[in-house]
Amino acid sequence: QVHLVESGGGLVRPGDSLKLSCTVSERTPTTYAMGWFRQAPGKEREFLAAISRSGGTESYGRSVQGRFSISRDNTANTVYLQIHSLKYEDTAVYSCAAVSGSGVYIEEGEYEYWGQGTQVTVSS
């Protein structure tokens, strides 16, 4: 069983920065390509960022480049999403996902495992 747990969400103010974490746990350690997605109420899930197994390659959604950055610490089995200059429109449930593979994956259907998500609410 592969278990992904997101953390770091919460209530923040416009203009704040936030760093989300996703920790991967399983009985036999495996390194996965990882991605971050978000879903706002009534909307489709949106791709945000992805990173390769080694951390050497990254990809970002068109609308979030410049404000979002993805990174990983394989020693800690953790992937991060750093968000700057938060806006009201960033309010959503943020989820991480994992898939076996050597590339970078941007499609929801390419991922095998998903976390439950962490709520980010931007409010003044």
Side-chain angles (χ1 to χ4, degrees), residues 39-83:
Q39 188 167 26
K43 297 186 177 180
E44 296 286 333
R45 185 174 289 157
E46 177 187 15
F47 167 72
L48 300 175
I51 190 166
S52 62
R53 294 187 302 189
S54 69
T57 308
E58 303 167 20
S59 182
Y60 294 94
R62 184 185 305 172
S63 65
V64 302
Q65 291 190 36
R67 293 197 301 121
F68 288 39
S69 63
I70 190 170
S71 62
R72 67 188 303 159
D73 181 349
N74 286 346
T75 300
N77 300 312
T78 301
V79 63
Y80 304 96
L81 184 69
Q82 178 73 54
I83 313 173

